[in-house]
Amino acid sequence: MEKSKIKNVFVEGAISPEFIANSIAKHQSKTTIGAHDIFLGQVRADLIDGQEVAAIEYTAYEEMANLKFHEIREATFAKFNLSCMHIYHSLGRVNTGEICLFVFVSSPHRKEVFEALHHVVEEIKNQVPIFGKELFEDDSYQWKVNK
């Protein structure tokens, strides 16, 4: 696969079901694809010190984060036999129950998509400079700590 250009992977606010469906539908007519796999990261209503998370407000160093997403994407294509990959992440406020991360991979074979998807999500969590402020109902907040 030849190197692709760096693209903006950020979506303002929650990633809608329509956005996800449209991204997936583009690949239905590709007859060389045998498997797709999808990861949807959803904001949880975690209970922290007796307060329930109402939303997460995501911020990022966008240029640096887009470059890191690009590097992860290119390395994943080099490691796995994939037909396509989409990665999108929210910026701004995302309420509990809404989608903040959408990763979609396709390959001729199912084993590749399972392994590649797991790899991509772990790389995103460990490498991309995205920060989440957990917002509570009383307007207080705390910075999210990845576990």
Side-chain angles (χ1 to χ4, degrees), residues 99-117:
I99 302 301
C100 58
L101 175 61
F102 167 46
V103 182
F104 173 72
V105 294
S106 300
S107 173
H109 305 285
R110 70 180 180 274
K111 185 176 181 185
E112 294 279 355
V113 296
F114 297 142
E115 293 173 357
L117 185 67

Side-chain angles (χ1 to χ4, degrees), residues 1-63:
M1 165 155 196
E2 64 183 61
K3 292 206 178 227
S4 60
K5 67 177 187 161
I6 297 172
K7 69 178 216 169
N8 180 20
V9 302
F10 291 109
V11 173
E12 191 61 37
I15 301 171
S16 72
E18 295 80 19
F19 183 92
I20 294 165
N22 290 339
S23 296
I24 294 168
K26 293 175 188 175
H27 300 283
Q28 288 178 318
S29 64
K30 296 182 180 177
T31 58
T32 59
I33 294 173
H36 305 285
D37 204 1
I38 301 163
F39 176 84
L40 300 174
Q42 181 172 309
V43 175
R44 290 184 314 271
D46 286 341
L47 193 61
I48 301 170
D49 297 329
Q51 293 192 83
E52 189 173 289
V53 173
I56 297 179
E57 184 178 321
Y58 290 100
T59 59
Y61 296 111
E62 288 186 53
E63 187 174 324

